[in-house]
Amino acid sequence: MSAITSNSTAGANTTFDFDFPADRLMDCSKSTVKESEYGAGTFATCDIKAGEVVEYGVARVLTNIDGNENPYIFTWSDEVPNTTWATCSGTAMFYNTVKEDGSENTKMYRYFDKNRFVIVATKDVRCGDELTHVYKSKQWRKCFSDLREDACPN
């Protein structure tokens, strides 16, 4: 195994060296999907320490789809506006977003050239806590206009 560094350049703390195991493409054993106040959400199945990998997996680049209209796919480049979209394995699709106020407890690192991702805890998470992050494209995708801070009531 050799460490791979995320090639996403958007946002702070954009690199995370991770040794992807050679014998499996994904592992989401520390998370599960359940009902949340936002619909479906991803929840921790065990205690997770800050800096620990929550899950990792593969992405499949999609064609003939517009991610500005479809909220269930991932931005798969750092271009704005983005024209490359993907779906990801595991429970990644079900992480809900939060305000950009430090309340998120995970961060997704994207490895565009390998079509891989890693989600890492940004703070200690207790078993049963909902896992959240800030959507990379929340500020400019049309489908997320109701999630933007300027659209949220105080």
Side-chain angles (χ1 to χ4, degrees):
M1 288 187 286
S2 62
I4 299 175
T5 302
S6 171
N7 57 347
S8 174
T9 58
N13 301 323
T14 59
T15 62
F16 185 80
D17 289 332
F18 181 68
D19 287 326
F20 286 97
D23 63 340
R24 71 182 92 129
L25 294 174
M26 64 166 276
D27 182 352
C28 60
S29 60
K30 296 178 187 175
S31 60
T32 191
V33 176
K34 304 190 298 190
E35 288 295 321
S36 85
E37 66 180 288
Y38 309 107
T42 300
F43 291 81
T45 60
C46 61
D47 291 345
I48 304 167
K49 298 281 186 201
E52 190 175 321
V53 171
V54 177
E55 75 174 283
Y56 62 87
V58 294
R60 294 290 185 228
V61 175
L62 303 171
T63 58
N64 300 322
I65 194 160
D66 183 358
N68 288 301
E69 302 295 331
N70 186 331
Y72 301 111
I73 58 177
F74 291 84
T75 305
W76 208 249
S77 81
D78 284 328
E79 298 170 2
V80 176
N82 185 66
T83 58
T84 306
W85 311 99
T87 188
C88 292
S89 63
T91 64
M93 182 182 295
F94 298 98
Y95 285 64
N96 287 307
T97 195
V98 292
K99 288 187 176 189
E100 296 180 63
D101 61 1
S103 62
E104 68 276 6
N105 55 19
T106 69
K107 178 172 178 55
M108 176 186 262
Y109 295 90
R110 295 163 168 89
Y111 304 81
F112 302 131
D113 57 339
K114 304 287 185 203
N115 287 330
R116 303 295 304 266
F117 71 90
V118 174
I119 299 175
V120 178
T122 57
K123 54 182 71 169
D124 290 349
V125 177
R126 297 188 60 171
C127 182
D129 285 354
E130 184 166 7
L131 299 168
T132 61
H133 65 248
V134 175
Y135 292 169
K136 167 183 168 67
S137 55
K138 184 168 80 167
Q139 294 305 320
W140 55 267
R141 278 173 70 182
K142 288 183 228 171
C143 60
F144 295 145
S145 63
D146 61 331
L147 300 177
R148 293 189 190 113
E149 273 68 46
D150 58 358
C152 296
N154 291 329

